[in-house]
């Protein structure tokens, strides 16, 4: 039987590349995001390779999340792989100057949104006593860096929830693990700096950052492991990066 994967944040960056990588394997895909035109474009691109269903919802809206997942047609209803990827940083400010709207966005999307989606998908996984959840955390969930405060807190929460899910879902045989990337060149910094692409570009210049395809290959490896193998917690950085604050740049 073919696998069915639900990927949040499939309209950009890491999530979109995971969708492309999974489509190459013929995995049925439920692609989620808020930008419908991007969902449509990805559906058109990947439909020759696999069956696609798109869901447009904001992970912050608990009602929207459960309605969207409840609305899945029977062919897509038995989700075997959940990729909790939707998320972003908003702002990079010291704690005394942070914008509380940015704080709300990061905690609502990266933490509560992940919880809402997981809760909705787990109903089926628990009933079927199986499934595989991959939480996209971050090196920001392993160490705190200057001005990363609330983003780092949100990703530390993902790290804690990854452990909590593994503990609570152990009795159902559901695999839970996280992939925690360092610097990956996506729209992440453009979102963080609110559309200032010149500033965003400086994050990825002077060295070779990870590409979203690198993360997609790793996530594909994680889901391809035999059923008795669970990659519980994986950290991946560009070779040029040693920690959140140490990056060897040649210019
Ligand atoms: P992108 O900005 O390229 O992609 C973010 C994705 O999240 C988009 O598809 C976006 O879709 C979705 N998203 C954001 N907010 C919401 C929302 N409220 N409801 C539903 N979907 C939402 O960034 P990345 O691909 O880099 O980020 C993906 C994940 O990887 C995030 O969790 C991020 O924290 C993590 N990460 C990124 C790293 C990096 O350096 N890039 C490193 C470590 C972790 P849409 O706007 O269409 O809703
Ligand atoms: C994204 C990596 O270092 O920009 O999670 O926080 S970092």
């Amino acid at each position: 039987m073919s696998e069915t994967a639900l990927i949040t944040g499939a309209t950009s960056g890491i999530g979109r590349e995971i969708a492309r990588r999974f489509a190459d394997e013929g995995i049925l895909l439920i692609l989620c995001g808020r930008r419908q035109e991007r969902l449509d474009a990805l559906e058109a691109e990947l439909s020759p390779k696999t069956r696609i269903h798109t869901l447009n919802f904001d992970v912050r809206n608990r009602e929207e999340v459960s309605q969207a997942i409840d609305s899945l047609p029977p062919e897509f209803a038995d989700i075997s792989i959940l990729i909790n990827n939707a998320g972003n940083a908003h702002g990079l400010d010291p704690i005394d100057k942070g914008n509380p709207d940015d704080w709300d966005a990061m905690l609502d999307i990266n933490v509560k949104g992940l919880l809402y989606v997981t809760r909705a998908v787990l109903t089926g996984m628990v009933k079927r006593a199986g499934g595989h959840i991959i939480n996209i955390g971050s090196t920001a969930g392993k160490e705190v860096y200057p001005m990363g405060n609330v983003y780092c807190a949100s990703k530390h929460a993902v790290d804690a929830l990854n452990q909590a899910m593994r503990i609570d879902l152990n009795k159902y045989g559901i695999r839970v693990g996280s992939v925690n990337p360092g610097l990956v060149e996506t729209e992440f910094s453009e979102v963080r700096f609110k559309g200032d692409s010149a500033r965003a570009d400086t994050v990825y210049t002077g060295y070779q950052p990870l590409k979203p395809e690198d993360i997609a290959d790793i996530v594909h490896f994680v889901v391809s492991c035999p059923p008795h193998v669970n990659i519980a917690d994986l950290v991946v950085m560009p070779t040029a990066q040693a920690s959140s604050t140490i990056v060897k740049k040649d210019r």
Side-chain angles (χ1 to χ4, degrees):
M1 197 186 76
S2 179
E3 303 264 29
T4 301
L6 184 146
I7 304 171
T8 65
T11 55
S12 174
I14 294 170
R16 184 165 57 193
E17 287 312 319
I18 295 172
R20 287 179 172 141
R21 187 69 188 80
F22 281 10
D24 289 341
E25 307 300 322
I27 296 173
L28 266 66
L29 293 176
I30 303 160
L31 306 177
C32 309
R34 293 166 301 174
R35 286 170 286 183
Q36 189 59 46
E37 68 291 352
R38 290 200 184 195
L39 290 173
D40 292 342
L42 195 58
E43 179 173 18
E45 177 190 330
L46 301 182
S47 288
K49 297 182 177 175
T50 187
R51 279 170 286 165
I52 308 280
H53 188 84
T54 66
L55 291 178
N56 186 326
F57 61 85
D58 186 326
V59 296
R60 285 173 291 194
N61 187 321
R62 207 189 314 172
E63 275 299 298
E64 268 186 33
V65 170
S66 59
Q67 276 171 17
I69 291 168
D70 287 350
S71 77
L72 285 169
E75 184 191 2
F76 289 91
D78 291 349
I79 297 163
S80 51
I81 300 169
L82 167 61
I83 310 291
N84 275 323
N85 165 74
N88 277 119
H90 294 266
L92 183 71
D93 302 296
I95 198 92
D96 55 304
K97 298 198 170 56
N99 179 342
D101 289 337
D102 286 342
W103 298 350
D104 284 348
M106 290 185 275
L107 295 172
D108 289 348
I109 298 167
N110 302 354
V111 184
K112 290 165 70 182
L114 177 145
L115 281 169
Y116 298 156
V117 173
T118 304
R119 181 73 174 78
V121 170
L122 273 176
T123 308
M125 283 188 177
V126 166
K127 211 177 289 168
R128 292 186 299 279
H132 196 162
I133 299 174
I134 295 168
N135 296 305
I136 304 297
S138 171
T139 46
K142 302 291 184 183
E143 59 171 324
V144 176
Y145 56 83
M147 298 188 287
N149 45 67
V150 178
Y151 178 66
C152 294
S154 76
K155 288 298 183 177
H156 275 71
V158 172
D159 192 44
L161 289 170
N162 183 60
Q163 296 175 54
M165 287 181 204
R166 197 162 53 247
I167 292 165
D168 291 349
L169 302 174
N170 172 270
K171 62 182 172 211
Y172 303 114
I174 295 171
R175 286 191 279 184
V176 180
S178 65
V179 173
N180 299 282
L183 293 153
V184 190
E185 188 166 11
T186 64
E187 293 173 16
F188 177 85
S189 289
E190 219 170 305
V191 174
R192 166 170 256 174
F193 300 131
K194 304 178 195 308
D196 182 345
S197 33
R199 189 174 176 198
D201 285 349
T202 64
V203 177
Y204 306 112
T205 49
Y207 69 104
Q208 171 71 68
L210 292 170
K211 301 188 294 281
E213 291 89 333
D214 299 322
I215 307 303
D217 282 343
I218 288 165
V219 169
H220 177 251
F221 171 76
V222 171
V223 301
S224 319
C225 288
H228 68 286
V229 177
N230 182 40
I231 310 272
D233 191 5
L234 187 154
V235 177
V236 53
M237 289 184 270
T239 303
Q241 182 177 17
S243 73
S244 291
T245 51
I246 300 173
V247 180
K248 183 175 177 290
K249 293 198 175 195
D250 52 29
R251 62 194 143 88

